[in-house]
Amino acid sequence: MKIIRNLQELKSVLNDWRKEFKIGFVPTMGALHPGHISLIKESKLQCQKTVCSIFVNPTQFNDKKDLERYPRTEKEDVKLLIAADCDIVFIPEVNEMYPHKDERTFDFGHLDKVLDGAARPGHFNGVAQIVSKLFDAVKPDKAFFGIKDYQQVLIIKELVRQMKTNIEIVACPIMREKDGLAMSSRNTLLSTQERKLASVIPKVMQSIPSLKAAGYSFSEVKKQVASKFSGNGYRLDYFIISDANSLIEDEDFTDSHQQVVLIACFIGHIRLIDNMLL
Ligand code: PAF
């Protein structure tokens, strides 16, 4: 596996490969776990060459402390990528990606105004800044994203439409720990006690289809969830049911269109998200 740290070298290698091979791309912020590796595997199934990037993107953190404590595990990440037979890992420094302040602002309409967009102002603009730069550099045929970041996937699809590129965005399923907790680099920041509390999140999510089938309204489910996650180490940020494509909030369960339930919950200082398509 080639380890590349500058854009010029990355572009020159890929310019050659692009003539012969389909290029798959997995952008990450490192601290890789089996969820990321499943994206690499999917890319390898669908493309002949796979590029992974590791870059903790400062412009998508609206909280400095969150950026500082974000886990950085480059050595282990590289080992995992070699074992997964990735072809290139691109690990730039901040100056390489942002030689000048990026002043671009993106407009994703409703999509980035709600949920994590409302809770983390500027977050999706920062994601769009870095992903557009990475897409320009890698020019992949396909890019692979985990559906755990449900809102991010919708925004990246819209970004690609606005960039007028042909990159296909492949949304891959959530990978879960044995107890159901959605895999996330942030899980490593949880204490043993917090990790136990976190395992309640997927249990609550898994109970939703049967509560729906039993005739509970979403507001009744929401009340139960709010009481479960109030205090005792939890702080519920949002628990919402929306149209799965527009993220326009629904008041109740319906079978008239595809819905998604999304949750964000703080366990101590760590904010975890999860979602379920109904
Ligand atoms: O999902 C992530 O890890 C990041 O938001 C991404 C897409 C790599 C951009 O920094």
Side-chain angles (χ1 to χ4, degrees), residues 167-199:
I167 301 168
E168 183 188 332
I169 302 303
V170 183
C172 302
I174 301 179
M175 297 293 286
R176 295 185 179 277
E177 305 287 354
K178 268 195 193 135
D179 63 359
L181 182 66
M183 287 185 183
S184 163
S185 306
R186 290 174 194 272
N187 294 352
T188 59
L189 301 173
L190 298 166
S191 67
T192 314
Q193 175 60 17
E194 289 169 340
R195 178 63 186 77
K196 268 190 201 148
L197 294 177
S199 67

Side-chain angles (χ1 to χ4, degrees), residues 33-138:
H33 52 66
H36 294 113
I37 300 305
S38 73
L39 302 180
I40 302 283
K41 284 188 183 149
E42 193 55 39
S43 171
K44 288 185 65 67
L45 281 178
Q46 298 194 26
C47 303
Q48 284 92 43
K49 294 283 181 191
T50 291
V51 180
C52 175
S53 65
I54 296 179
F55 181 66
V56 181
N57 172 38
T59 71
Q60 71 188 73
F61 286 82
N62 59 320
D63 175 355
K64 256 192 162 185
K65 283 208 179 116
D66 193 23
L67 171 61
E68 276 162 22
R69 74 176 157 234
Y70 200 84
R72 289 159 172 88
T73 56
E74 187 183 307
K75 263 192 189 164
E76 290 83 350
D77 291 349
V78 167
K79 277 188 202 155
L80 286 172
L81 291 172
I82 291 173
D85 210 11
C86 183
D87 298 288
I88 292 179
V89 61
F90 176 53
I91 317 179
E93 292 290 336
V94 173
N95 285 347
E96 187 68 15
M97 297 315 293
Y98 296 106
H100 314 288
K101 192 169 188 286
D102 192 338
E103 307 276 8
R104 290 174 301 158
T105 55
F106 294 81
D107 183 359
F108 299 112
H110 180 75
L111 283 182
D112 66 338
K113 307 290 180 294
V114 290
L115 304 165
D116 281 19
R120 305 176 65 192
H123 168 66
F124 286 119
N125 203 65
V127 169
Q129 287 176 342
I130 192 63
V131 172
S132 58
K133 279 171 185 272
L134 291 167
F135 280 177
D136 275 341
V138 178

